[in-house]
């Protein structure tokens, strides 16, 4: 009885988070990075509740991999359902948002593989992101905080948030961000 009650609570929390609305079509924008980690939340729900949540996680990850990870590995962490295009909130994207989304895809890949479901396209797109990271890494081993689609440094100023101050010393603040992801990818 308590397990069923816990599952219902998780499902209510997930629905209340707005993530299910994003996936179900009630919202025009689906966001995958930073605080709005839809794949991670769907993955958590699938692990806790199974059943239909496995299907939700699979569909969400399939859509993200197909629509938001470019062939060169750049990751768009916003999907505009109305215009059917992947995009970013500003001119460029944060390395943290891209890395967290790629890591969530890797976690989903591992979980589905444990359940006997092979999703090679998920791992392939994460490998492309890994290639992107290698391509844009600075000579000193660091990474910038944000990038344009072409891999050049971006000074991201989010549209929906107060303007971010660009401080010269903080441009390489993203250096530690991809380390956990790259360490996990090397093991694959």
């Amino acid at each position: 009885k308590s397990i069923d009650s816990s599952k219902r609570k998780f499902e209510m929390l997930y629905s209340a988070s707005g993530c299910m609305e994003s996936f179900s079509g009630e919202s025009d924008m689906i966001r995958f990075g930073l605080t709005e980690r839809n794949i991670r939340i769907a993955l958590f729900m699938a692990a806790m509740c199974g059943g239909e949540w496995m299907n939700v996680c699979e569909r969400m990850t399939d859509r993200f991999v197909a629509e938001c990870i470019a062939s060169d590995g750049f990751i768009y962490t916003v999907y505009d359902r109305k215009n059917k295009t992947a995009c970013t909130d500003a001119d460029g994207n944060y390395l943290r948002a891209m890395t967290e989304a790629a890591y969530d895809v890797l976690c989903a890949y591992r979980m589905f593989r444990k359940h006997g479901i092979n999703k090679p396209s998920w791992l392939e797109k994460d490998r492309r992101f890994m290639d992107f990271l290698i391509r844009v890494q600075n000579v000193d081993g660091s990474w910038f905080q944000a990038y344009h689609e072409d891999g050049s440094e971006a000074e991201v100023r989010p549209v929906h948030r107060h303007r971010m101050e660009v401080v010269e010393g903080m441009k390489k603040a993203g250096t530690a961000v991809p380390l956990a992801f790259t360490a996990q990818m090397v093991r694959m």
Side-chain angles (χ1 to χ4, degrees):
K1 229 177 185 182
S2 65
I3 291 174
D4 288 340
S5 174
S6 294
K7 285 183 180 180
R8 280 194 299 278
K9 287 178 184 174
F10 283 124
E11 288 173 344
M12 287 182 351
L13 285 170
Y14 184 77
S15 296
S17 73
C19 295
M20 194 62 195
E21 289 175 11
S22 293
F23 185 70
S24 67
E26 296 173 26
S27 172
D28 286 340
M29 305 302 267
I30 304 173
R31 300 179 193 286
F32 294 95
L34 298 176
T35 60
E36 299 170 27
R37 295 175 70 180
N38 284 321
I39 293 171
R40 173 62 78 166
I41 294 169
L43 183 62
F44 176 75
M45 292 302 300
M48 294 301 295
C49 303
E52 180 58 27
W53 291 104
M54 287 288 290
N55 296 331
V56 169
C57 184
E58 184 176 16
R59 287 191 319 261
M60 185 176 290
T61 307
D62 278 340
R63 173 175 275 168
F64 177 76
V65 165
E67 302 288 340
C68 296
I69 303 178
S71 60
D72 68 355
F74 183 86
I75 296 180
Y76 300 89
T77 52
V78 178
Y79 183 76
D80 181 345
R81 295 168 60 90
K82 186 176 182 180
N83 297 309
K84 296 185 181 348
T85 57
C87 56
T88 60
D89 271 333
D91 184 24
N93 203 359
Y94 284 108
L95 182 62
R96 178 179 169 196
M98 292 189 284
T99 303
E100 287 177 350
Y103 185 73
D104 292 347
V105 170
L106 180 60
C107 290
Y109 173 81
R110 286 181 171 159
M111 186 183 82
F112 276 79
R113 190 175 64 184
K114 281 183 184 177
H115 284 86
I117 301 168
N118 190 20
K119 303 298 276 189
S121 64
W122 297 1
L123 187 58
E124 175 56 31
K125 287 289 184 105
D126 267 354
R127 286 187 174 130
R128 289 182 188 183
F129 178 63
M130 198 53 185
D131 292 341
F132 175 84
L133 289 174
I134 292 166
R135 191 172 65 252
V136 301
Q137 188 173 23
N138 296 313
V139 184
D140 65 1
S142 66
W143 283 277
F144 290 116
Q145 186 177 26
Y147 290 91
H148 292 287
E149 295 167 350
D150 66 2
S152 62
E153 178 191 5
E155 293 182 359
V156 178
R157 298 187 190 287
V159 176
H160 302 295
R161 298 174 192 97
H162 56 277
R163 295 181 70 80
M164 183 176 81
E165 293 290 325
V166 178
V167 179
E168 190 63 34
M170 295 298 290
K171 286 184 176 185
K172 293 183 180 178
T175 296
V177 169
L179 297 179
F181 171 76
T182 56
Q184 293 299 312
M185 282 299 293
V186 168
R187 294 180 177 175
M188 298 304 293

